[in-house]
């Protein structure tokens, strides 16, 4: 894709994502949610109240480092100002409308946002270490309809706002009491973010980027970009921007290595075919052996799991610092695929590994509560235009 063409394509994608914008940050009572504002926006909001610039840093620390949800708990702020702030602002969280815990301790949250729409978030504890990942949603539903994905059967309702994306993470921290203790001990459990929940993050780039910038801010939640992985089904024109502006780890949902098959499984391939996708991976900034691109490959019995597929895969990604994550297919009500047999999985993994790529098989987590990869879906629907 030429430079000018991809610029035009990016503008089109961003314009389209604005149509599915999240609701306003202003509550019916006129107060404004501070969560999701950039630092500059927070500074502006405080300046409008006549507050001095140092307050920005102070509030940022309370909101994102301490996880405070009430101004009255901000002990370094005098009572009159606490009250003034509480009259103007809130520190919002999505409401956990349902919480389910899997037999393997994975926990799924159904979050309801201010307009009543819902998305799911999953906490996946590490079975060995005392830590885990939070899998965040970026959209309610998805415009894409990858054949093996439950989210893909839910039409896009809307994009999630920056406040709602950061809010999922903060609400899960609340649930696990994972904010720094008064003694200053830092949280360990919720230390990794994967943007692998509902939706295509690169079709909601502005909100995702703003949310991740907040999460990475050193004086707040302060997650390193190395602890954040963004998964895309292959929105090629936005991959460059994600690399340049966020520099987070990239995961690419590959799933097939011949255009004919990928066109079927991941219909976005008709727009951005394999050659373009792989070229975008090759130029992804920061890709090195220390920071490899992850290719996700869902193993579908007799569809994409042959020896020939494995050989073609290693040919296609040759030279890219990458690892290949083999994902056993997670079934959902109405799905039409079967998981690959263990034998086919092992055969595939070995070919990839022998070619020099790590090829871990992802252990399915939270399948019993429909919390595993590709199983998320909510009842939310887009209100019909009048
Ligand atoms: N929309 C983004 C991120 C969300 S999906 C993307 O597609 O990359 C996270 C991962 O789960 C993707 O690799 C997706 O292809 C995979 N996935 C979807 N449905 C699945 C299923 N039923 N079983 C296993 N993995 C699935
Ligand atoms: Fe959307 Fe990703 Fe599911 Fe495809 S796999 S339908 S892009 S959420």
């Amino acid at each position: 894709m030429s430079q000018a063409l991809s610029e035009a394509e990016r503008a089109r994608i961003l314009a389209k994502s604005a149509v599915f914008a999240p609701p306003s940050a202003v509550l019916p009572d006129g107060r404004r949610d501070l969560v999701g504002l950039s630092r500059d926006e927070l500074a502006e909001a405080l300046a409008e109240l006549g507050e001095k610039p140092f307050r920005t840093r102070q509030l940022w620390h309370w909101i994102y480092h301490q996880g405070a949800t009430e101004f009255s708990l901000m002990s370094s702020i005098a009572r009159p100002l606490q009250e003034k702030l509480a009259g103007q602002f809130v520190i919002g969280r999505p409401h956990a409308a349902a919480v389910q815990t899997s037999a393997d301790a994975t926990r799924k949250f159904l979050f309801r946002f201010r307009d009543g729409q819902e998305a799911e978030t999953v906490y996946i504890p590490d079975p060995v270490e005392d830590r885990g990942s939070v899998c965040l949603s970026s959209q309610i539903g998805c415009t894409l309809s990858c054949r093996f994905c439950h989210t893909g059967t839910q039409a896009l309702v809307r994009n999630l706002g920056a406040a709602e994306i950061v809010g999922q993470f903060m609400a899960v921290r609340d649930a696990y009491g994972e904010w720094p203790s008064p003694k200053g001990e830092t949280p360990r459990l919720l230390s990794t973010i994967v943007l692998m929940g509902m939706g295509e993050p690169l079709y909601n780039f502005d909100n995702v980027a703003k949310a991740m910038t907040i999460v990475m801010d050193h004086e707040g939640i302060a997650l390193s970009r190395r602890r954040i992985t963004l998964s895309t089904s292959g929105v090629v024109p936005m991959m460059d921007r994600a690399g340049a502006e966020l520099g987070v780890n990239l995961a690419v949902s590959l799933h097939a290595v011949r255009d004919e098959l990928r066109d079927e499984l991941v219909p976005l391939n008709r727009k951005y075919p394999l050659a373009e996708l792989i070229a975008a991976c090759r130029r992804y900034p920061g890709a090195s052996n220390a920071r490899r691109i992850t290719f996700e490959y869902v193993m579908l019995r007799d569809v994409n799991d042959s020896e020939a597929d494995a050989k073609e895969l290693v040919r296609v990604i040759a030279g890219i610092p990458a690892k290949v994550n083999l994902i056993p297919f997670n079934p959902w009500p109405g799905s039409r695929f079967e998981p690959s047999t263990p034998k086919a999985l092992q055969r595939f993994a070995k070919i990839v590994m022998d070619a020099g790529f790590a090829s871990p098989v992802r252990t399915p987590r939270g399948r019993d509560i429909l919390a595993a990869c590709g199983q998320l879906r909510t009842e939310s629907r887009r209100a019909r235009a009048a």
Side-chain angles (χ1 to χ4, degrees):
M1 200 180 301
S2 78
Q3 201 68 25
L5 243 183
S6 59
E7 198 48 61
E9 186 68 5
R10 271 197 285 276
R12 198 191 57 78
I13 291 170
L14 291 169
K16 196 167 171 196
S17 86
V19 176
F20 292 93
S24 135
V26 180
L27 275 64
D29 66 8
R31 288 184 301 163
R32 184 172 174 197
D33 192 355
L34 293 184
V35 174
L37 299 187
S38 67
R39 263 207 200 226
D40 287 350
E41 289 168 338
L42 179 62
E44 236 170 80
L46 292 170
E48 276 169 28
L49 276 193
E51 291 305 321
K52 297 221 173 72
F54 81 91
R55 293 287 181 202
T56 306
R57 196 172 171 195
Q58 197 177 33
L59 267 167
W60 189 272
H61 185 86
W62 277 113
I63 297 171
Y64 294 113
H65 184 76
Q66 300 290 343
T69 50
E70 301 289 340
F71 295 100
S72 60
L73 297 175
M74 300 181 176
S75 53
S76 58
I77 295 178
R79 179 66 49 86
L81 179 55
Q82 288 178 357
E83 282 167 9
K84 184 170 154 193
L85 292 170
Q88 299 288 328
F89 303 123
V90 296
I91 303 167
R93 291 287 194 272
H95 165 68
V99 182
Q100 285 170 280
T101 307
S102 157
D104 70 18
T106 296
R107 196 172 286 180
K108 182 168 84 169
F109 297 80
L110 175 70
F111 283 123
R112 186 171 301 148
F113 302 102
R114 214 172 283 136
D115 62 351
Q117 302 288 19
E118 297 173 329
E120 294 183 319
T121 307
V122 181
Y123 174 66
I124 310 138
D126 188 304
V128 184
E129 282 186 74
D130 196 11
R131 51 174 54 214
S133 315
V134 186
C135 177
L136 301 180
S137 290
S138 56
Q139 301 184 303
I140 300 176
C142 191
T143 41
L144 303 170
S145 39
C146 304
R147 297 287 174 258
F148 44 81
C149 175
H150 202 197
T151 309
T153 66
Q154 181 181 6
L156 179 65
V157 176
R158 65 169 175 81
N159 283 324
L160 291 173
E164 296 168 326
I165 298 169
V166 186
Q168 294 170 61
F169 182 77
M170 296 169 87
V172 178
R173 272 205 165 170
D174 293 347
Y176 284 88
E178 270 285 304
W179 292 100
S181 70
K183 283 193 234 127
E185 285 156 357
T186 45
R188 290 182 37 79
L189 291 178
L190 279 77
S191 47
T192 306
I193 287 180
V194 294
L195 283 155
M196 295 187 181
M198 300 170 61
E200 169 49 57
L202 294 188
Y203 272 158
N204 184 20
F205 183 74
D206 287 343
N207 289 308
V208 166
K210 195 172 178 192
M212 292 306 108
T213 305
I214 291 171
V215 162
M216 291 190 279
D217 185 291
H218 291 304
E219 293 183 319
I221 295 168
L223 281 197
S224 138
R225 61 196 169 83
R226 286 166 204 286
R227 306 213 68 98
I228 300 174
T229 300
L230 183 151
S231 174
T232 180
S233 55
V235 185
V236 167
M238 302 308 293
M239 287 167 63
D240 299 301
R241 271 196 71 183
E245 293 173 34
L246 297 175
V248 297
N249 300 320
L250 182 69
V252 173
S253 296
L254 194 59
H255 309 317
V257 282
R258 286 175 287 118
D259 278 318
E260 203 188 18
L261 179 60
R262 197 164 189 272
D263 281 351
E264 275 307 305
L265 296 178
V266 184
L268 184 65
N269 194 68
R270 295 175 202 160
K271 201 171 216 164
Y272 309 117
L274 274 166
E276 284 185 27
L277 176 60
I278 297 297
C281 294
R282 287 190 195 280
R283 62 175 184 261
Y284 191 75
S288 67
N289 271 330
R291 236 162 78 81
R292 289 171 292 176
I293 291 179
T294 302
F295 287 106
E296 295 159 286
Y297 197 98
V298 58
M299 294 291 288
L300 307 170
R301 186 183 302 183
D302 298 334
V303 174
N304 65 353
D305 63 354
S306 72
E307 216 173 306
D309 285 311
K311 288 184 177 155
E312 181 61 7
L313 170 64
V314 298
R315 200 190 61 79
V316 165
I317 65 169
I320 302 178
K323 69 171 176 184
V324 179
N325 217 326
L326 299 175
I327 316 177
F329 170 66
N330 294 310
W332 37 270
S335 61
R336 281 174 296 166
F337 294 99
E338 295 287 331
S340 295
T341 61
K343 205 172 143 207
L345 238 164
Q346 290 318 321
R347 179 182 62 187
F348 200 99
K350 184 164 187 314
I351 294 170
V352 177
M353 200 166 63
D354 288 349
F357 297 97
S359 56
V361 176
R362 190 181 287 176
T363 313
R365 300 292 301 275
R367 263 186 183 169
D368 53 341
I369 54 165
L370 285 182
C373 296
Q375 291 184 314
L376 307 183
R377 191 185 196 280
T378 67
E379 295 303 317
S380 292
R381 281 184 208 182
R382 188 167 170 77
R384 233 189 270 160

mmCIF file of all heavy atoms in Angstrom, residues 36-70:
data_model
loop_
_atom_site.group_PDB
_atom_site.id
_atom_site.type_symbol
_atom_site.label_atom_id
_atom_site.label_comp_id
_atom_site.label_asym_id
_atom_site.label_seq_id
_atom_site.Cartn_x
_atom_site.Cartn_y
_atom_site.Cartn_z
ATOM 1 N N GLY A 36 -10.161 8.746 32.228
ATOM 2 C CA GLY A 36 -10.158 8.748 30.771
ATOM 3 C C GLY A 36 -9.696 10.072 30.182
ATOM 4 O O GLY A 36 -9.462 10.165 28.981
ATOM 5 N N LEU A 37 -9.541 11.110 31.028
ATOM 6 C CA LEU A 37 -8.974 12.357 30.510
ATOM 7 C C LEU A 37 -7.462 12.191 30.407
ATOM 8 O O LEU A 37 -6.839 11.555 31.256
ATOM 9 C CB LEU A 37 -9.262 13.534 31.457
ATOM 10 C CG LEU A 37 -10.722 13.895 31.733
ATOM 11 C CD1 LEU A 37 -10.784 15.194 32.550
ATOM 12 C CD2 LEU A 37 -11.499 14.065 30.439
ATOM 13 N N SER A 38 -6.889 12.793 29.382
ATOM 14 C CA SER A 38 -5.427 12.816 29.316
ATOM 15 C C SER A 38 -4.948 13.775 30.402
ATOM 16 O O SER A 38 -5.734 14.541 30.959
ATOM 17 C CB SER A 38 -4.971 13.316 27.946
ATOM 18 O OG SER A 38 -5.338 14.675 27.808
ATOM 19 N N ARG A 39 -3.653 13.762 30.654
ATOM 20 C CA ARG A 39 -3.122 14.698 31.653
ATOM 21 C C ARG A 39 -3.425 16.136 31.291
ATOM 22 O O ARG A 39 -3.772 16.938 32.152
ATOM 23 C CB ARG A 39 -1.610 14.525 31.735
ATOM 24 C CG ARG A 39 -1.210 13.647 32.855
ATOM 25 C CD ARG A 39 0.171 14.098 33.227
ATOM 26 N NE ARG A 39 0.796 13.029 33.961
ATOM 27 C CZ ARG A 39 1.464 13.236 35.090
ATOM 28 N NH1 ARG A 39 1.627 14.439 35.562
ATOM 29 N NH2 ARG A 39 1.993 12.231 35.718
ATOM 30 N N ASP A 40 -3.283 16.466 30.008
ATOM 31 C CA ASP A 40 -3.552 17.843 29.579
ATOM 32 C C ASP A 40 -5.016 18.202 29.798
ATOM 33 O O ASP A 40 -5.334 19.306 30.220
ATOM 34 C CB ASP A 40 -3.205 18.025 28.094
ATOM 35 C CG ASP A 40 -1.698 18.053 27.888
ATOM 36 O OD1 ASP A 40 -0.961 18.129 28.896
ATOM 37 O OD2 ASP A 40 -1.267 17.992 26.715
ATOM 38 N N GLU A 41 -5.890 17.260 29.505
ATOM 39 C CA GLU A 41 -7.320 17.533 29.693
ATOM 40 C C GLU A 41 -7.657 17.703 31.174
ATOM 41 O O GLU A 41 -8.470 18.531 31.556
ATOM 42 C CB GLU A 41 -8.161 16.408 29.088
ATOM 43 C CG GLU A 41 -8.148 16.401 27.564
ATOM 44 C CD GLU A 41 -8.732 15.128 26.964
ATOM 45 O OE1 GLU A 41 -8.778 14.083 27.651
ATOM 46 O OE2 GLU A 41 -9.135 15.166 25.794
ATOM 47 N N LEU A 42 -7.001 16.903 32.007
ATOM 48 C CA LEU A 42 -7.222 17.032 33.450
ATOM 49 C C LEU A 42 -6.744 18.408 33.931
ATOM 50 O O LEU A 42 -7.425 19.088 34.698
ATOM 51 C CB LEU A 42 -6.492 15.910 34.201
ATOM 52 C CG LEU A 42 -6.603 15.931 35.723
ATOM 53 C CD1 LEU A 42 -8.043 15.774 36.184
ATOM 54 C CD2 LEU A 42 -5.746 14.819 36.353
ATOM 55 N N ALA A 43 -5.572 18.802 33.427
ATOM 56 C CA ALA A 43 -5.031 20.115 33.805
ATOM 57 C C ALA A 43 -6.007 21.222 33.401
ATOM 58 O O ALA A 43 -6.259 22.163 34.172
ATOM 59 C CB ALA A 43 -3.675 20.329 33.139
ATOM 60 N N GLU A 44 -6.562 21.084 32.212
ATOM 61 C CA GLU A 44 -7.514 22.091 31.720
ATOM 62 C C GLU A 44 -8.759 22.139 32.599
ATOM 63 O O GLU A 44 -9.231 23.208 32.966
ATOM 64 C CB GLU A 44 -7.955 21.673 30.320
ATOM 65 C CG GLU A 44 -7.742 22.705 29.244
ATOM 66 C CD GLU A 44 -7.986 22.068 27.887
ATOM 67 O OE1 GLU A 44 -9.160 21.938 27.512
ATOM 68 O OE2 GLU A 44 -6.995 21.662 27.235
ATOM 69 N N ALA A 45 -9.276 20.962 32.951
ATOM 70 C CA ALA A 45 -10.491 20.908 33.766
ATOM 71 C C ALA A 45 -10.245 21.572 35.122
ATOM 72 O O ALA A 45 -11.112 22.271 35.653
ATOM 73 C CB ALA A 45 -10.936 19.458 33.948
ATOM 74 N N LEU A 46 -9.053 21.368 35.667
ATOM 75 C CA LEU A 46 -8.744 21.953 36.973
ATOM 76 C C LEU A 46 -8.497 23.452 36.856
ATOM 77 O O LEU A 46 -8.890 24.225 37.734
ATOM 78 C CB LEU A 46 -7.536 21.248 37.591
ATOM 79 C CG LEU A 46 -7.798 19.786 37.988
ATOM 80 C CD1 LEU A 46 -6.497 19.082 38.357
ATOM 81 C CD2 LEU A 46 -8.784 19.710 39.150
ATOM 82 N N ALA A 47 -7.877 23.849 35.736
ATOM 83 C CA ALA A 47 -7.631 25.283 35.523
ATOM 84 C C ALA A 47 -8.962 26.025 35.415
ATOM 85 O O ALA A 47 -9.104 27.143 35.932
ATOM 86 C CB ALA A 47 -6.788 25.490 34.274
ATOM 87 N N GLU A 48 -9.927 25.388 34.769
ATOM 88 C CA GLU A 48 -11.247 26.017 34.644
ATOM 89 C C GLU A 48 -11.874 26.286 36.011
ATOM 90 O O GLU A 48 -12.672 27.192 36.179
ATOM 91 C CB GLU A 48 -12.189 25.114 33.833
ATOM 92 C CG GLU A 48 -12.037 25.293 32.334
ATOM 93 C CD GLU A 48 -12.769 24.223 31.557
ATOM 94 O OE1 GLU A 48 -13.771 23.687 32.064
ATOM 95 O OE2 GLU A 48 -12.294 23.908 30.437
ATOM 96 N N LEU A 49 -11.498 25.471 36.991
ATOM 97 C CA LEU A 49 -12.009 25.668 38.352
ATOM 98 C C LEU A 49 -11.142 26.657 39.135
ATOM 99 O O LEU A 49 -11.381 26.907 40.312
ATOM 100 C CB LEU A 49 -11.978 24.347 39.121
ATOM 101 C CG LEU A 49 -13.112 23.355 38.997
ATOM 102 C CD1 LEU A 49 -12.982 22.308 40.095
ATOM 103 C CD2 LEU A 49 -14.449 24.056 39.119
ATOM 104 N N GLY A 50 -10.087 27.143 38.480
ATOM 105 C CA GLY A 50 -9.189 28.089 39.135
ATOM 106 C C GLY A 50 -8.124 27.419 39.990
ATOM 107 O O GLY A 50 -7.506 28.048 40.846
ATOM 108 N N GLU A 51 -7.895 26.144 39.764
ATOM 109 C CA GLU A 51 -6.897 25.429 40.572
ATOM 110 C C GLU A 51 -5.503 25.537 39.958
ATOM 111 O O GLU A 51 -5.356 25.610 38.750
ATOM 112 C CB GLU A 51 -7.299 23.959 40.714
ATOM 113 C CG GLU A 51 -8.518 23.737 41.576
ATOM 114 C CD GLU A 51 -8.399 24.355 42.967
ATOM 115 O OE1 GLU A 51 -7.306 24.295 43.557
ATOM 116 O OE2 GLU A 51 -9.397 24.943 43.441
ATOM 117 N N LYS A 52 -4.499 25.494 40.819
ATOM 118 C CA LYS A 52 -3.107 25.627 40.364
ATOM 119 C C LYS A 52 -2.643 24.356 39.641
ATOM 120 O O LYS A 52 -3.134 23.263 39.908
ATOM 121 C CB LYS A 52 -2.197 25.856 41.578
ATOM 122 C CG LYS A 52 -2.499 27.136 42.331
ATOM 123 C CD LYS A 52 -1.183 27.819 42.751
ATOM 124 C CE LYS A 52 -1.441 29.178 43.353
ATOM 125 N NZ LYS A 52 -2.065 29.083 44.710
ATOM 126 N N PRO A 53 -1.642 24.519 38.749
ATOM 127 C CA PRO A 53 -1.176 23.376 37.942
ATOM 128 C C PRO A 53 -0.731 22.160 38.768
ATOM 129 O O PRO A 53 -0.907 21.022 38.341
ATOM 130 C CB PRO A 53 -0.003 23.940 37.153
ATOM 131 C CG PRO A 53 -0.252 25.416 37.092
ATOM 132 C CD PRO A 53 -1.001 25.770 38.336
ATOM 133 N N PHE A 54 -0.163 22.372 39.974
ATOM 134 C CA PHE A 54 0.357 21.196 40.711
ATOM 135 C C PHE A 54 -0.750 20.214 41.094
ATOM 136 O O PHE A 54 -0.499 19.053 41.391
ATOM 137 C CB PHE A 54 1.162 21.641 41.948
ATOM 138 C CG PHE A 54 0.318 21.996 43.152
ATOM 139 C CD1 PHE A 54 0.005 21.010 44.093
ATOM 140 C CD2 PHE A 54 -0.159 23.290 43.344
ATOM 141 C CE1 PHE A 54 -0.761 21.332 45.207
ATOM 142 C CE2 PHE A 54 -0.924 23.607 44.445
ATOM 143 C CZ PHE A 54 -1.244 22.619 45.382
ATOM 144 N N ARG A 55 -1.985 20.706 41.097
ATOM 145 C CA ARG A 55 -3.112 19.828 41.454
ATOM 146 C C ARG A 55 -3.275 18.670 40.464
ATOM 147 O O ARG A 55 -3.787 17.618 40.822
ATOM 148 C CB ARG A 55 -4.419 20.619 41.477
ATOM 149 C CG ARG A 55 -4.509 21.655 42.565
ATOM 150 C CD ARG A 55 -4.705 21.023 43.919
ATOM 151 N NE ARG A 55 -4.803 22.029 44.968
ATOM 152 C CZ ARG A 55 -4.553 21.783 46.243
ATOM 153 N NH1 ARG A 55 -4.199 20.577 46.639
ATOM 154 N NH2 ARG A 55 -4.666 22.745 47.133
ATOM 155 N N THR A 56 -2.869 18.903 39.226
ATOM 156 C CA THR A 56 -3.043 17.869 38.200
ATOM 157 C C THR A 56 -2.301 16.599 38.618
ATOM 158 O O THR A 56 -2.855 15.502 38.640
ATOM 159 C CB THR A 56 -2.477 18.357 36.845
ATOM 160 O OG1 THR A 56 -3.091 19.598 36.541
ATOM 161 C CG2 THR A 56 -2.749 17.353 35.737
ATOM 162 N N ARG A 57 -1.042 16.812 38.989
ATOM 163 C CA ARG A 57 -0.205 15.691 39.367
ATOM 164 C C ARG A 57 -0.740 15.000 40.622
ATOM 165 O O ARG A 57 -0.737 13.763 40.733
ATOM 166 C CB ARG A 57 1.191 16.243 39.623
ATOM 167 C CG ARG A 57 2.226 15.196 39.656
ATOM 168 C CD ARG A 57 3.574 15.873 39.705
ATOM 169 N NE ARG A 57 4.590 14.877 39.947
ATOM 170 C CZ ARG A 57 5.818 15.182 40.321
ATOM 171 N NH1 ARG A 57 6.171 16.437 40.497
ATOM 172 N NH2 ARG A 57 6.686 14.224 40.522
ATOM 173 N N GLN A 58 -1.219 15.843 41.539
ATOM 174 C CA GLN A 58 -1.738 15.312 42.799
ATOM 175 C C GLN A 58 -2.972 14.424 42.549
ATOM 176 O O GLN A 58 -3.056 13.297 43.038
ATOM 177 C CB GLN A 58 -2.122 16.510 43.672
ATOM 178 C CG GLN A 58 -2.301 16.196 45.117
ATOM 179 C CD GLN A 58 -2.609 17.465 45.913
ATOM 180 O OE1 GLN A 58 -3.245 18.399 45.420
ATOM 181 N NE2 GLN A 58 -2.145 17.494 47.147
ATOM 182 N N LEU A 59 -3.874 14.943 41.741
ATOM 183 C CA LEU A 59 -5.085 14.164 41.455
ATOM 184 C C LEU A 59 -4.775 12.918 40.642
ATOM 185 O O LEU A 59 -5.326 11.845 40.859
ATOM 186 C CB LEU A 59 -6.093 15.028 40.694
ATOM 187 C CG LEU A 59 -7.077 15.731 41.605
ATOM 188 C CD1 LEU A 59 -7.829 16.799 40.851
ATOM 189 C CD2 LEU A 59 -8.073 14.722 42.189
ATOM 190 N N TRP A 60 -3.877 13.084 39.685
ATOM 191 C CA TRP A 60 -3.488 11.940 38.838
ATOM 192 C C TRP A 60 -2.985 10.796 39.719
ATOM 193 O O TRP A 60 -3.306 9.634 39.536
ATOM 194 C CB TRP A 60 -2.388 12.405 37.860
ATOM 195 C CG TRP A 60 -2.067 11.388 36.815
ATOM 196 C CD1 TRP A 60 -1.149 10.376 36.910
ATOM 197 C CD2 TRP A 60 -2.667 11.273 35.520
ATOM 198 N NE1 TRP A 60 -1.133 9.636 35.750
ATOM 199 C CE2 TRP A 60 -2.062 10.162 34.884
ATOM 200 C CE3 TRP A 60 -3.650 11.996 34.832
ATOM 201 C CZ2 TRP A 60 -2.400 9.759 33.595
ATOM 202 C CZ3 TRP A 60 -3.983 11.589 33.551
ATOM 203 C CH2 TRP A 60 -3.376 10.493 32.950
ATOM 204 N N HIS A 61 -2.172 11.179 40.690
ATOM 205 C CA HIS A 61 -1.605 10.184 41.605
ATOM 206 C C HIS A 61 -2.716 9.482 42.394
ATOM 207 O O HIS A 61 -2.730 8.254 42.515
ATOM 208 C CB HIS A 61 -0.626 10.892 42.550
ATOM 209 C CG HIS A 61 0.098 9.952 43.460
ATOM 210 N ND1 HIS A 61 1.258 9.319 43.087
ATOM 211 C CD2 HIS A 61 -0.192 9.522 44.710
ATOM 212 C CE1 HIS A 61 1.663 8.540 44.078
ATOM 213 N NE2 HIS A 61 0.806 8.637 45.082
ATOM 214 N N TRP A 62 -3.654 10.259 42.896
ATOM 215 C CA TRP A 62 -4.746 9.645 43.664
ATOM 216 C C TRP A 62 -5.589 8.726 42.782
ATOM 217 O O TRP A 62 -5.959 7.625 43.185
ATOM 218 C CB TRP A 62 -5.647 10.728 44.287
ATOM 219 C CG TRP A 62 -5.102 11.262 45.573
ATOM 220 C CD1 TRP A 62 -4.632 12.516 45.808
ATOM 221 C CD2 TRP A 62 -4.960 10.548 46.813
ATOM 222 N NE1 TRP A 62 -4.199 12.633 47.111
ATOM 223 C CE2 TRP A 62 -4.391 11.441 47.753
ATOM 224 C CE3 TRP A 62 -5.244 9.238 47.218
ATOM 225 C CZ2 TRP A 62 -4.117 11.066 49.070
ATOM 226 C CZ3 TRP A 62 -4.976 8.869 48.530
ATOM 227 C CH2 TRP A 62 -4.416 9.770 49.433
ATOM 228 N N ILE A 63 -5.876 9.187 41.589
ATOM 229 C CA ILE A 63 -6.785 8.413 40.730
ATOM 230 C C ILE A 63 -6.097 7.154 40.201
ATOM 231 O O ILE A 63 -6.642 6.057 40.287
ATOM 232 C CB ILE A 63 -7.287 9.272 39.539
ATOM 233 C CG1 ILE A 63 -8.091 10.465 40.052
ATOM 234 C CG2 ILE A 63 -8.130 8.430 38.569
ATOM 235 C CD1 ILE A 63 -8.457 11.487 38.975
ATOM 236 N N TYR A 64 -4.901 7.329 39.646
ATOM 237 C CA TYR A 64 -4.292 6.206 38.920
ATOM 238 C C TYR A 64 -3.231 5.443 39.707
ATOM 239 O O TYR A 64 -2.928 4.310 39.379
ATOM 240 C CB TYR A 64 -3.691 6.686 37.594
ATOM 241 C CG TYR A 64 -4.759 7.165 36.653
ATOM 242 C CD1 TYR A 64 -4.860 8.501 36.290
ATOM 243 C CD2 TYR A 64 -5.691 6.278 36.128
ATOM 244 C CE1 TYR A 64 -5.851 8.938 35.432
ATOM 245 C CE2 TYR A 64 -6.689 6.703 35.273
ATOM 246 C CZ TYR A 64 -6.767 8.026 34.931
ATOM 247 O OH TYR A 64 -7.749 8.457 34.085
ATOM 248 N N HIS A 65 -2.635 6.095 40.703
ATOM 249 C CA HIS A 65 -1.648 5.336 41.478
ATOM 250 C C HIS A 65 -2.327 4.681 42.677
ATOM 251 O O HIS A 65 -2.159 3.483 42.918
ATOM 252 C CB HIS A 65 -0.487 6.230 41.919
ATOM 253 C CG HIS A 65 0.585 5.462 42.632
ATOM 254 N ND1 HIS A 65 1.487 4.667 41.951
ATOM 255 C CD2 HIS A 65 0.867 5.333 43.943
ATOM 256 C CE1 HIS A 65 2.276 4.080 42.836
ATOM 257 N NE2 HIS A 65 1.928 4.462 44.049
ATOM 258 N N GLN A 66 -3.132 5.464 43.400
ATOM 259 C CA GLN A 66 -3.777 4.922 44.597
ATOM 260 C C GLN A 66 -5.100 4.242 44.307
ATOM 261 O O GLN A 66 -5.617 3.495 45.137
ATOM 262 C CB GLN A 66 -4.016 6.050 45.615
ATOM 263 C CG GLN A 66 -2.744 6.755 46.086
ATOM 264 C CD GLN A 66 -1.885 5.855 46.970
ATOM 265 O OE1 GLN A 66 -2.337 4.849 47.480
ATOM 266 N NE2 GLN A 66 -0.619 6.206 47.127
ATOM 267 N N GLY A 67 -5.690 4.569 43.164
ATOM 268 C CA GLY A 67 -6.986 3.958 42.842
ATOM 269 C C GLY A 67 -8.147 4.548 43.619
ATOM 270 O O GLY A 67 -9.185 3.892 43.772
ATOM 271 N N ALA A 68 -7.991 5.788 44.093
ATOM 272 C CA ALA A 68 -9.082 6.410 44.867
ATOM 273 C C ALA A 68 -10.314 6.624 43.993
ATOM 274 O O ALA A 68 -10.196 6.996 42.828
ATOM 275 C CB ALA A 68 -8.616 7.761 45.426
ATOM 276 N N THR A 69 -11.491 6.376 44.569
ATOM 277 C CA THR A 69 -12.718 6.643 43.823
ATOM 278 C C THR A 69 -13.539 7.758 44.482
ATOM 279 O O THR A 69 -14.565 8.154 43.958
ATOM 280 C CB THR A 69 -13.593 5.372 43.717
ATOM 281 O OG1 THR A 69 -13.739 4.808 45.011
ATOM 282 C CG2 THR A 69 -12.977 4.340 42.785
ATOM 283 N N GLU A 70 -13.085 8.213 45.633
ATOM 284 C CA GLU A 70 -13.794 9.282 46.362
ATOM 285 C C GLU A 70 -12.819 10.410 46.658
ATOM 286 O O GLU A 70 -11.714 10.165 47.145
ATOM 287 C CB GLU A 70 -14.309 8.753 47.718
ATOM 288 C CG GLU A 70 -15.251 7.582 47.648
ATOM 289 C CD GLU A 70 -16.619 7.967 47.096
ATOM 290 O OE1 GLU A 70 -16.942 9.183 47.134
ATOM 291 O OE2 GLU A 70 -17.330 7.080 46.612
#
